[in-house]
């Protein structure tokens, strides 16, 4: 999708060199991808400490129970 944006040429050129991108388009797309991934990571970090857990939970016992219910067959 063609888009016209007034971008800072100095920043784009710096990003292109820093990322060793051949074109401005590659640099901008890489920067946008990194921005989105970073924002998703920040949301995950914000969730830390908000989920309660039971320190006595025994995941191995739960696996054994689950295995018995399925007849010892592993799930796909």
């Amino acid at each position: 999708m063609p888009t016209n944006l007034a971008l800072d040429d100095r920043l784009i050129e710096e990003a292109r060199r820093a990322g060793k991108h051949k074109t401005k388009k590659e640099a901008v797309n890489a920067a946008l991808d990194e921005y989105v991934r970073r924002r998703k990571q920040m949301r995950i970090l914000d969730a830390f400490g908000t989920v309660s857990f039971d320190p006595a939970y025994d995941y191995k016992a739960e696996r054994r129970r689950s295995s018995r219910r399925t007849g010892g067959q592993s799930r796909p």
Side-chain angles (χ1 to χ4, degrees), residues 16-76:
R16 191 188 65 74
R17 284 193 312 264
K20 298 181 181 167
H21 302 290
K22 293 180 182 176
T23 65
K24 290 179 182 181
K25 180 179 178 178
E26 284 180 16
V28 170
N29 284 331
L32 288 172
D33 182 61
E34 186 174 328
Y35 176 84
V36 170
R37 282 186 287 117
R38 178 76 172 152
R39 292 295 171 159
K40 288 179 180 179
Q41 289 173 350
M42 288 170 54
R43 283 191 304 207
I44 291 169
L45 290 174
D46 288 343
F48 274 97
T50 63
V51 178
S52 60
F53 69 98
D54 180 2
Y57 177 73
D58 185 355
Y59 71 93
K60 290 182 181 179
E62 187 62 33
R63 284 185 186 168
R64 287 189 296 273
R65 265 193 299 273
S66 177
S67 178
R68 283 188 223 126
R69 280 186 249 140
T70 62
Q73 299 172 0
S74 63
R75 296 182 196 177

Side-chain angles (χ1 to χ4, degrees), residues 1-7 12 24-25 28-29 32:
M1 158 178 43
T3 304
N4 291 325
L5 299 172
L7 301 173
I12 291 177
K24 290 179 182 181
K25 180 179 178 178
V28 170
N29 284 331
L32 288 172

